[in-house]
């Protein structure tokens, strides 16, 4: 079957009609890769949902195809968002495809290089705010409301409708079963809300018999949900989830509680360990925020959270591609060694 993106595939679950113009880059259909090393360590079957293989390199594309299609259907000529980077990259690309304008407000100096390049090259108007993501989101919400510009952050319900298709795909890829545990990083908390919605709708439609326990991880310096209070100045190397006041806070707690799950936190050191582990052992290159979920299950594993040999299935969503943040990759690896253009020298360096 030729893949035409998530709207075509899951149309019956989405708020689109026959006249909705579908703005798509053929997002979705991302690989679910079995992780031998994590499965061995934890004693359960761990699969990695590689969302970095979406058209702009993150899960945001699932939401953006629906948000932009609905925006164009409603006659919008301009969309706006605040972003830690990936939302802006995706909004910029889908707006380009739709042929409409896009404004993005980013925290100045605080988004990864790949994401900034994407927003710029797709022709968005990029504004760097003196303030963090939470402030940027507050400002674009106000501007969208006052000036009738379509907001494409995850407070736009179409975004979550698109992103819930990640849950459908996981169930389809597991041959009509939901995983026992669903693990992911949590920032603005839209994606955990969307996945829970997806599992719930698939369950209600009789496509799966069970729903997973939802397990989210925040970074220690940006863990408002875990700490139960707004963090005025969130800090973490995982810039994508450097958020102190998540817009979908309440619905993330509902996903956690209704599913019997948990939302925990991991340190930057644990995130970087998981980041290197995924790249070096599994051949999967993710951005730091995406490694938070894996860091989290390794931490839970140490506390014997998973029953070894229980046959349980764990799905970890790897939300964004490693190429998004090349600076981090270079900073966490050895520099290449220079060699003269002589066979003996090269062989000597190989053997060293
Ligand atoms: N992982 C990555 C790579 C992200 O970019 C984000 C959010 C998350 C996880 C967390 O998802 O916000 O739904 O809980 N990035 C947003 C952005 C905030 O602006 O790109 P969430």
């Amino acid at each position: 079957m030729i893949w035409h993106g998530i709207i075509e595939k899951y149309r019956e679950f989405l708020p689109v009609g026959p006249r909705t113009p579908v703005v798509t880059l053929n997002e979705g259909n991302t690989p679910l890769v079995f992780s031998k090393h994590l499965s061995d360590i934890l004693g359960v079957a761990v699969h990695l949902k590689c969302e970095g293989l979406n058209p702009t390199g993150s899960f945001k594309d699932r939401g953006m195809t629906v948000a932009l299609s609905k925006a164009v259907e409603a006659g919008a000529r301009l969309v706006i968002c605040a972003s830690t980077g990936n939302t802006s990259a995706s909004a910029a690309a889908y707006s380009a495809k739709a042929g409409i304008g896009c404004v993005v407000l980013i925290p100045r100096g605080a988004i990864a290089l790949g994401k900034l390049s994407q927003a710029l090259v797709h022709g968005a108007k990029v504004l760097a705010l003196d303030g963090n993501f939470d402030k940027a989101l507050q400002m674009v919400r106000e501007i969208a409301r006052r000036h009738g510009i379509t907001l494409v952050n995850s407070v736009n319900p179409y975004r979550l409708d698109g992103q819930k298709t990640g849950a459908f795909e996981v169930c389809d890829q597991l041959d009509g079963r939901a995983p026992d545990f669903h693990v992911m990083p949590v920032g603005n908390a839209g994606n955990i809300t969307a996945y829970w919605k997806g599992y719930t709708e698939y369950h209600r439609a009789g496509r799966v018999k069970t729903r997973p326990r939802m397990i989210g991880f925040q970074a220690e310096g940006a863990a408002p949900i875990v700490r139960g209070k707004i963090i005025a100045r969130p800090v973490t190397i995982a810039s994508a989830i450097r958020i102190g006041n998540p817009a979908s806070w309440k619905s993330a707690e509902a996903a956690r509680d209704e599913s019997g799950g948990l939302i925990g936190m991991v340190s930057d050191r644990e995130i970087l360990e998981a980041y290197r582990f995924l790249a070096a052992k599994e051949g999967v290159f993710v951005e730091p925020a995406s490694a938070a979920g894996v860091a989290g299950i390794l931490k839970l594993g140490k506390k014997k959270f998973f029953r070894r040999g229980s046959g349980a299935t764990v799905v970890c969503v790897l939300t964004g591609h490693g190429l998004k943040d090349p600076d981090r990759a270079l900073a966490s690896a050895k520099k290449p060694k220079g060699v003269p253009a002589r066979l003996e020298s090269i062989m000597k360096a190989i053997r060293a």
Side-chain angles (χ1 to χ4, degrees):
M1 189 198 83
I2 296 171
W3 185 264
H4 295 290
I6 59 120
I7 294 183
E8 221 37 68
K9 171 76 179 178
Y10 296 112
R11 181 175 275 279
E12 67 197 282
F13 293 95
L14 294 171
V16 292
R19 277 198 295 280
T20 309
V22 176
V23 180
T24 181
L25 294 167
N26 295 8
E27 60 295 311
N29 198 20
T30 57
L32 185 70
V33 178
F34 178 70
S35 167
K36 181 176 182 325
H37 290 93
L38 288 171
S39 302
D40 286 349
I41 292 168
L42 299 173
V44 289
V46 182
H47 301 266
L48 308 171
K49 181 68 170 155
C50 299
E51 288 289 279
L53 278 85
N54 274 299
T56 77
S58 86
F59 69 96
K60 306 286 180 181
D61 297 341
R62 294 181 185 276
M64 219 48 85
T65 181
V66 181
L68 261 294
S69 298
K70 295 302 285 185
V72 172
E73 184 177 18
R77 299 300 309 154
L78 183 64
V79 300
I80 191 167
C81 67
S83 182
T84 58
N86 282 323
T87 297
S88 63
S90 187
Y94 281 80
S95 302
K97 176 84 186 197
I100 67 174
C102 177
V103 177
V104 306
L105 197 57
I106 53 167
R108 187 201 295 271
I111 80 168
L113 196 63
K115 306 174 188 183
L116 180 60
S117 322
Q118 288 177 290
L120 292 169
V121 86
H122 288 302
K125 173 161 279 191
V126 179
L127 304 173
L129 181 78
D130 291 321
N132 62 23
F133 170 82
D134 300 292
K135 185 72 188 169
L137 182 58
Q138 187 193 326
M139 309 230 80
V140 294
R141 288 178 93 152
E142 189 63 25
I143 289 168
R145 194 177 58 77
R146 285 201 202 175
H147 300 281
I149 302 173
T150 305
L151 185 61
V152 294
N153 279 104
S154 58
V155 291
N156 176 333
Y158 297 133
R159 278 277 313 278
L160 300 190
D161 271 319
Q163 286 172 213
K164 77 187 177 192
T165 63
F168 301 163
E169 258 177 41
V170 166
C171 297
D172 292 348
Q173 289 170 317
L174 293 174
D175 289 329
R177 284 185 313 119
D180 299 292
F181 300 93
H182 176 96
V183 182
M184 63 201 308
V186 174
N188 211 25
N191 211 26
I192 190 169
T193 304
Y195 265 92
W196 183 237
K197 189 168 195 273
Y199 285 121
T200 300
E201 289 183 14
Y202 237 35
H203 184 240
R204 200 179 297 137
R207 303 289 183 101
V208 285
K209 293 199 181 69
T210 60
R211 294 183 295 174
R213 290 168 72 180
M214 301 296 288
I215 303 192
F217 285 97
Q218 302 193 293
E220 266 180 17
I225 299 177
V226 181
R227 298 184 193 276
K229 60 168 202 274
I230 293 171
I231 308 295
R233 271 178 288 279
V235 283
T236 167
I237 53 110
S239 56
I241 53 171
R242 193 181 289 149
I243 294 174
N245 187 14
S248 299
W249 189 323
K250 287 281 162 301
S251 50
E253 287 180 339
R256 175 194 66 194
D257 298 341
E258 288 167 22
S259 72
L262 66 90
I263 297 178
M265 58 185 178
V266 285
S267 67
D268 280 3
R269 193 178 50 76
E270 290 166 326
I271 289 173
L272 285 176
E273 269 172 28
Y275 169 83
R276 284 189 285 261
F277 175 91
L278 284 169
K281 299 288 184 197
E282 297 291 353
V284 178
F285 187 23
V286 300
E287 64 169 289
S290 303
V294 173
I297 53 170
L298 287 170
K299 196 169 172 178
L300 289 179
K302 288 189 187 130
K303 295 185 199 152
K304 308 257 179 293
F305 177 85
F306 300 105
R307 210 151 52 78
R308 186 167 274 282
S310 59
T313 304
V314 179
V315 167
C316 263
V317 182
L318 304 180
T319 47
H321 202 285
L323 290 171
K324 292 277 191 175
D325 195 349
D327 293 320
R328 176 56 54 191
L330 291 174
S332 67
K334 279 205 212 107
K335 296 274 168 297
K337 194 167 180 289
V339 282
R342 277 199 312 271
L343 294 181
E344 320 81 82
S345 313
I346 297 170
M347 281 317 295
K348 202 170 144 206
I350 289 173
R351 294 207 184 92

